[in-house]
Amino acid sequence: MNSLKDLIRTIPDYPKRGIMFRDVTTLLGDAQGFKAAIAQMAEPYRTQPIDAVAGIEARGFILGGAIADRLGCGFIPIRKKGKLPWKTIGQEYSLEYGVDVIEIHEDALAPGQRILIVDDLIATGGTAEAAAKLIRRSGGTIVGATFIIDLPDLGGSKLLKSHDIACHSLVAFEGH
Ligand code: AMP
């Protein structure tokens, strides 16, 4: 079997010049690779009580659904502004230019529930930090955050650590 790193396609200059886009569709399309990624992302949490996985749109949904099934817990979607049908709470976060907003249903979790954050990749950590704020504002406790890819030079895992959130990732790429 190819290593998980070998199954990730790198696309230079996408979506704009200077970005090395780490494309996980090639990993997701490989049956053994997908299965191994889900197993490894879930592994540190198998023996911990977890009420729900919170997956970040959109690749966090694919991974988060499978991880929730494996851990035997629920799934909570965290979506871009305007996509969720019920009442929401929103959280702004910074992009390279300007700001964006992600949202969660206001009744998605009950106070005290233990939540695992899932996405495909952590770069600056701005998206995961906003997700963490939504979960904490909803009264949830964050058990950790799990990713396929960390870009350590962009500081996202350190940022989460400064909020007392431990990151778990399977593969790191130096640079950005
Ligand atoms: P950040 O908020 O900077 O940690 O960015 C994380 C989000 O942006 C994740 O949802 C990723 O899917 C996406 N992302 C950021 N940088 C990249 C990259 N180099 N390749 C692929 N996806 C990326």
Side-chain angles (χ1 to χ4, degrees), residues 19-22 59 119-128 151:
I19 304 284
M20 298 288 269
F21 191 84
R22 308 299 178 177
R59 290 178 290 269
D119 203 357
D120 67 325
L121 178 149
I122 182 160
T124 66
T127 314
L151 306 183

Side-chain angles (χ1 to χ4, degrees), residues 17-28:
R17 215 178 163 74
I19 304 284
M20 298 288 269
F21 191 84
R22 308 299 178 177
D23 174 21
V24 297
T25 64
T26 40
L27 186 159
L28 300 176

Side-chain angles (χ1 to χ4, degrees), residues 12-65:
D13 297 323
Y14 181 88
K16 56 187 175 192
R17 215 178 163 74
I19 304 284
M20 298 288 269
F21 191 84
R22 308 299 178 177
D23 174 21
V24 297
T25 64
T26 40
L27 186 159
L28 300 176
D30 182 282
Q32 286 185 329
F34 186 33
K35 200 178 186 61
I38 295 303
Q40 290 177 37
M41 290 177 85
E43 175 60 27
Y45 312 101
R46 274 192 320 117
T47 55
Q48 302 189 41
I50 296 190
D51 295 299
V53 161
I56 303 173
E57 186 174 0
R59 290 178 290 269
F61 290 179
I62 300 161
L63 301 164

